[in-house]
Amino acid sequence: MTTIQGPAIFLAQFLGDQPPFDTLENICRWAKGLGYEGVQIPTWDSKYFDLQKAAESKAYTDEIKGIVEDQGLKITELSTHLQGQLVAVNPAYDTLFDGFAPEQYHNNPKARTEWAVQQLKYAAKASQNLGLNAHATFSGALLWQTVYPWPQRPAGLVEAGFKELGKRWTPILNAFDEAGVDLCYEIHPGEDLHDGVSYEMFLKEVNNHQRACLLYDPSHFVLQCLDYLEYIDIYHERIRMFHVKDAEFNPTGRQGVYGGYQNWVNRAGRFRSLGDGQVDFKSVFSKLTAYDFKGWAVLEWECALKHPEDGAREGATFIKDHIIRVTEKAFDDFAATGIDDAKNRTILGL
């Protein structure tokens, strides 16, 4: 078994114009001061990280590593959540998702998709240049608007959607394979990969590609009433990344999973700061440790109530306290009697 690495923090929710969140150097110094050992870096804001430059210049990635390591931190992974979303967008969401791409690609879905695919390929090479072995993204969605089967879905619609999704992602997965990096899909509402069944349907269409791996985040499973502990039992061989994020689901006589179009504060299901929700993290960390998860425990802070800086400060301690330093010996070694083949055969009656 391996001791899970951490604590680390995903920087996406903390980037801003004011110090200490305004530069990569400053935000890393801030994170280290809270007790974090690693940072997961989003790649959609070139002020912090220029993805194309990182793919094309080893000197640039060495510079980025130097900035992070000078603050006593490591880069855990890169993220292309926003770009991955744009690999597959149903026309119903074109206007809403245009904001994830540069302005020159707005109102041009074909060009936007081509841009997103290239971004993912840059991410593969950038990760390789940084010496990373995993990368975080979203799958995008062609079918999400049909997640509830009303009106009735036409026969073959789902199969056609996943076939197209697999067709779009296979060249990207191949690029990650060439780079020696696992591409980890965050299983998430709004994506065609939103639970185990949909992930398995995708795997079929990419021929069980060895790089089509998983980012495990139990919070999303709480909100859809999925067994997030059994999920680890089923998919642990594909789990390469871990977002430590909490959530709660409190249905009432007025609303449940769908949330009644309410904002995050008023939804039955909502994300919470670590320790304020319902996720059984003792069991989560125990299972991941038992299955020899070798990655990082990364805080993804999202909470409708608590201030982000408080959530980040508390999160470092929470993760550190939940990481299990694995034992190097069995607890009952004191009673061991050594190896004696003859005795073993006698005990077995042989």
Side-chain angles (χ1 to χ4, degrees), residues 76-153:
T76 64
E77 304 96 1
L78 302 178
S79 154
T80 53
H81 283 84
L82 301 192
Q83 300 100 312
Q85 182 75 61
L86 301 183
V87 169
V89 178
N90 185 279
Y93 294 98
D94 272 337
T95 301
L96 290 170
F97 281 136
D98 261 352
F100 287 6
E103 189 173 356
Q104 62 263 38
Y105 301 110
H106 293 186
N107 302 310
N108 190 340
K110 182 176 184 295
R112 185 187 62 204
T113 299
E114 292 172 351
W115 172 82
V117 170
Q118 183 59 63
Q119 286 280 296
L120 267 293
K121 291 180 178 179
Y122 284 150
K125 187 61 179 178
S127 296
Q128 182 184 40
N129 286 343
L130 287 165
L132 304 176
N133 58 22
H135 179 80
T137 198
F138 280 149
S139 69
L142 299 173
L143 291 162
W144 179 252
Q145 79 285 357
T146 71
V147 68
Y148 193 82
W150 181 260
Q152 187 183 71
R153 290 187 289 258

Side-chain angles (χ1 to χ4, degrees), residues 14 16-23 26-27 29-30 47-48 309:
F14 299 94
D17 296 328
Q18 300 298 317
F21 310 110
D22 55 337
T23 69
N26 285 345
I27 200 169
R29 184 181 302 114
W30 167 79
K47 182 175 76 171
Y48 300 89
E309 292 181 47

Side-chain angles (χ1 to χ4, degrees), residues 20-294:
F21 310 110
D22 55 337
T23 69
L24 182 61
E25 179 180 2
N26 285 345
I27 200 169
C28 284
R29 184 181 302 114
W30 167 79
K32 183 63 178 179
L34 295 178
Y36 289 100
E37 300 296 330
V39 290
Q40 187 178 100
I41 300 179
T43 63
W44 47 83
D45 189 337
S46 60
K47 182 175 76 171
Y48 300 89
F49 188 89
D50 188 318
L51 183 57
Q52 181 175 352
K53 196 171 181 180
E56 297 174 348
S57 171
K58 186 66 165 60
Y60 176 74
T61 54
D62 288 344
E63 177 186 343
I64 292 293
K65 283 182 67 175
I67 290 172
V68 175
E69 291 175 359
D70 283 350
Q71 301 306 320
L73 298 169
K74 294 181 180 179
I75 300 173
T76 64
E77 304 96 1
L78 302 178
S79 154
T80 53
H81 283 84
L82 301 192
Q83 300 100 312
Q85 182 75 61
L86 301 183
V87 169
V89 178
N90 185 279
Y93 294 98
D94 272 337
T95 301
L96 290 170
F97 281 136
D98 261 352
F100 287 6
E103 189 173 356
Q104 62 263 38
Y105 301 110
H106 293 186
N107 302 310
N108 190 340
K110 182 176 184 295
R112 185 187 62 204
T113 299
E114 292 172 351
W115 172 82
V117 170
Q118 183 59 63
Q119 286 280 296
L120 267 293
K121 291 180 178 179
Y122 284 150
K125 187 61 179 178
S127 296
Q128 182 184 40
N129 286 343
L130 287 165
L132 304 176
N133 58 22
H135 179 80
T137 198
F138 280 149
S139 69
L142 299 173
L143 291 162
W144 179 252
Q145 79 285 357
T146 71
V147 68
Y148 193 82
W150 181 260
Q152 187 183 71
R153 290 187 289 258
L157 178 70
V158 172
E159 292 77 7
F162 274 94
K163 186 175 291 295
E164 176 63 23
L165 195 67
K167 179 181 176 182
R168 296 189 188 191
W169 277 103
T170 294
I172 299 170
L173 287 163
N174 289 341
F176 274 86
D177 193 35
E178 292 171 9
V181 179
D182 291 324
L183 183 55
C184 302
Y185 296 97
E186 180 169 357
I187 305 303
H188 189 286
E191 313 302 320
D192 280 343
L193 275 61
H194 55 269
D195 59 14
V197 172
S198 54
Y199 171 64
E200 291 173 16
M201 294 172 71
F202 176 72
L203 274 184
K204 178 183 176 183
E205 297 302 331
V206 296
N207 197 28
N208 289 308
H209 202 293
Q210 66 174 346
R211 298 297 180 180
C213 295
L214 293 167
L215 186 165
Y216 176 72
D217 182 338
S219 68
H220 301 301
F221 301 147
V222 169
L223 300 195
Q224 59 178 303
C225 304
L226 185 151
D227 188 332
Y228 57 85
L229 295 177
E230 186 181 8
Y231 180 97
I232 299 174
D233 294 330
I234 298 169
Y235 300 111
H236 61 91
E237 292 180 351
R238 290 276 185 170
I239 295 173
R240 297 287 188 274
M241 294 178 61
F242 175 24
H243 272 177
V244 190
K245 188 168 74 172
D246 213 343
E248 62 184 356
F249 181 61
N250 300 306
T252 70
R254 289 189 171 90
Q255 61 157 300
V257 170
Y258 302 121
Y261 295 110
Q262 298 303 295
N263 61 29
W264 280 110
V265 171
N266 296 320
R267 290 177 67 89
R270 58 188 183 179
F271 301 122
R272 297 300 309 274
S273 286
L274 290 184
D276 294 343
Q278 297 168 346
V279 175
D280 178 2
F281 280 108
K282 287 186 177 181
S283 294
V284 167
F285 275 85
S286 293
K287 278 187 176 289
L288 288 174
T289 300
Y291 283 122
D292 199 26
F293 173 71
K294 298 183 184 302

